[in-house]
Amino acid sequence: MMTEEEIARLFGRAVSNVDWPGIDSAIMGAQRQARRLRRRRRVSLAAGGALAAGVAGVAVAVATGTLPQLPGATSPHDPAGASTTTPAPSAKPPSPTPSQSISTPTTGAQILATLKTLLPAGSAIANVRPLNNTNGILTLELDYNDGQGAVDFRVVISPPIYRDGFVTCSQVQQMQQHFVPSVRSEPQSCTMRPLPDGSTEEDLVTDADSQGFYDLDVSVLKPDGTEIDIEVANGNLDPPSYETVTQAKPPGSFAEWSAVADSPAWHL
Amino acid sequence: MTDDAPSGYLEFASARGTQLFRVALLMCGDWYEAEDLVQTTLAKVFVAWTRVRRNAEGYARQVMLNAFLSQRRLKRSSELPTTEFRDRRAPDIDADLRMTLLTALRELPPRYRAVVVLRYLEDHSVESVAALMGATPAAVKSMNTRALALLREKLGSDLDLLRS
């Protein structure tokens, strides 16, 4: 019978000659993956808080027979005057009413079908990848190309339960201040403004990494609490290319992506 | 390419990456899965570097084990045994031995595989493996005994070859 010492020698022999020629590309890939983790953490941090707040709110409603307190400018995460890069508007995020409920896509295929009707003519999409969403937040990722190079493009639709997770400008600043200082082709910024239908729009230029990779992020919080988020990067983090920056700036403008995020087409 | 990495991270990744990969290779039994596992591990170490740098080695081991077992749980229902591996390295004198061992290891349950790799490649004590896996030492001993028995059975007549 093979002894434990022999087993140990066997294991050692089996891999002692294994070199890993891919280590450098894996380290590079790991850093890009890490940047993506940090970006997602930005969302999940808020979503987790929102879920907790939502659960607590339901408990309050059950106990008192009233609707839970709605979020707004009095959010403990965004006290009045605490907004940093660009002051937030005084308008509170809209309050929901049953009559304002809207129906939004519930599958990746529906998001894709709607998105295709809204993208600029002449643009192309590829490598569409719906993410596994077990928390009710629908995310569709794809490569978007306006003819100048493929970039990461994300559509995120969050149900009303996450309305407390709407990431305010001051929260963005708090989350990004820990990141490594970076170069960028345009300054980080964050602007919030009310829309005529009672929605709140946030336009964000995210922090960038050392290569200048960053996103434009347009989020629209609808009156019923549904959030539609469009994120457009200036590069592509995905394998096999692991390319970083493909364009100096993310394609499109805030106005163009705002029109996409705020389109009635999302309301099925 | 890497000038935004926090101080010390690149040195750690470069120095320890290959050993992490060797562990991952025996756990996964597949070159590409092992690469993915180590890259995911290094990414998580990168994100947490400021907090974990003083025990980066231990943190990386823990992250990798968790990721491996989690990955295994997700894939268990669709996983099919195979005798072919995508080892893209040029043959070396121990290539046959490696392929034989990987084939046998791959037929073990993931937790058993993790136990024997940590015990016999990484030389962790039973207590250390128990801490990493969130199990009791008695449970680890039990898994280790069963894993060795299965491994001997799977290796069968190849044992003599491996001893040579």
Side-chain angles (χ1 to χ4, degrees):
Chain A
M1 180 189 295
M2 187 172 257
T3 66
E4 289 189 83
E5 289 71 23
E6 286 176 313
I7 292 277
R9 277 201 298 277
L10 174 63
F11 277 41
R13 259 183 69 196
V15 293
S16 61
N17 290 332
V18 170
D19 270 337
W20 187 21
I23 186 170
D24 288 340
S25 61
I27 291 173
M28 184 170 68
Q31 290 179 79
R32 288 172 176 155
Q33 196 173 336
R35 290 174 200 136
R36 171 156 285 176
L37 285 172
R38 291 193 307 198
R39 282 203 293 163
R40 288 189 179 151
R41 179 172 291 183
R42 191 182 74 213
V43 175
S44 62
L45 190 69
L51 185 59
V55 170
V58 169
V60 169
V62 169
T64 65
T66 61
L67 286 173
Q69 181 68 40
L70 299 174
T74 56
S75 164
H77 300 296
D78 191 25
S83 200
T84 51
T85 312
T86 302
S90 57
K92 298 177 180 180
S95 301
T97 62
S99 62
Q100 289 176 308
S101 292
I102 59 174
S103 177
T104 55
T106 55
T107 67
Q110 288 176 329
I111 295 178
L112 182 60
T114 302
L115 182 65
K116 281 179 174 176
T117 68
L118 300 173
L119 291 176
S123 61
I125 59 176
N127 196 15
V128 177
R129 39 197 190 275
L131 300 187
N132 184 21
N133 295 280
T134 57
N135 54 5
I137 297 177
L138 285 173
T139 304
L140 187 74
E141 287 189 348
L142 50 87
D143 293 344
Y144 171 81
N145 197 328
D146 64 346
Q148 304 299 311
V151 300
D152 284 354
F153 188 107
R154 286 159 54 93
V155 181
V156 183
I157 298 181
S158 307
I161 189 174
Y162 292 113
R163 58 177 294 113
D164 278 346
F166 188 71
V167 181
T168 63
C169 287
S170 61
Q171 286 174 295
V172 169
Q173 180 68 17
Q174 287 168 15
M175 283 182 260
Q176 297 205 344
Q177 67 186 358
H178 304 296
F179 291 0
V180 178
S182 55
V183 297
R184 60 174 68 87
S185 58
E186 60 183 307
Q188 180 189 339
S189 67
C190 186
T191 306
M192 293 174 70
R193 64 189 178 95
L195 299 178
D197 70 345
S199 301
T200 297
E201 178 179 322
E202 182 181 75
D203 297 341
L204 171 67
V205 177
T206 69
D207 194 15
D209 66 23
S210 63
Q211 299 176 63
F213 185 103
Y214 68 101
D215 298 277
L216 294 187
D217 186 344
V218 176
S219 302
V220 172
L221 181 64
K222 305 301 292 182
D224 80 329
T226 301
E227 181 181 343
I228 298 169
D229 186 26
I230 304 291
E231 298 176 21
V232 190
N234 64 335
N236 191 319
L237 292 176
D238 293 305
S241 66
Y242 289 115
E243 184 50 77
T244 306
V245 175
T246 54
Q247 301 196 35
K249 294 183 175 184
S253 64
F254 275 133
E256 289 171 295
W257 299 125
S258 171
V260 172
D262 194 36
S263 171
W266 294 113
H267 313 153
L268 302 179
Chain B
M1 173 182 87
T2 55
D3 53 351
D4 65 337
S7 173
Y9 169 78
L10 288 179
E11 290 79 359
F12 167 79
S14 299
R16 305 306 301 157
T18 296
Q19 180 59 20
L20 286 171
F21 177 74
R22 290 170 178 166
V23 175
L25 182 60
L26 287 187
M27 284 186 181
C28 297
D30 180 280
W31 190 280
Y32 297 113
E33 280 186 33
E35 287 191 326
D36 287 346
L37 181 60
V38 176
Q39 180 171 309
T40 296
T41 299
L42 291 177
K44 292 184 175 179
V45 170
F46 183 99
V47 170
W49 181 254
T50 306
R51 182 165 48 86
V52 305
R53 58 185 306 159
R54 290 184 180 174
N55 183 27
E57 183 89 29
Y59 181 78
R61 286 289 186 286
Q62 185 72 67
V63 163
M64 192 163 82
L65 180 63
N66 291 350
F68 167 71
L69 292 175
S70 172
Q71 194 178 43
R72 288 286 127 188
R73 277 197 298 272
L74 291 172
K75 295 175 68 175
R76 186 167 48 193
S77 59
S78 60
E79 191 173 21
L80 296 173
T82 177
T83 56
E84 296 181 359
F85 298 98
R86 296 171 291 175
D87 188 337
R88 64 185 176 193
R89 287 275 299 157
D92 60 50
I93 58 171
D94 286 319
D96 288 344
L97 182 155
R98 181 163 61 250
M99 298 305 274
T100 302
L101 180 60
L102 290 179
T103 301
L105 280 171
R106 203 174 160 92
E107 293 186 46
L108 301 186
R111 286 176 69 81
Y112 287 16
R113 213 182 306 167
V115 167
V116 292
V117 171
L118 290 171
R119 288 276 291 127
Y120 301 115
L121 180 63
E122 292 271 89
D123 201 25
H124 282 277
S125 66
V126 168
E127 290 72 22
S128 170
V129 175
L132 281 168
M133 297 187 70
T136 64
V140 170
K141 280 182 186 174
S142 173
M143 284 191 279
N144 191 56
T145 301
R146 292 177 190 174
L148 286 180
L150 282 170
L151 200 54
R152 288 175 181 126
E153 179 189 323
K154 303 294 180 190
L155 288 170
S157 58
D158 290 328
L159 278 174
D160 289 339
L161 168 69
L162 298 176
R163 279 194 170 110
S164 64

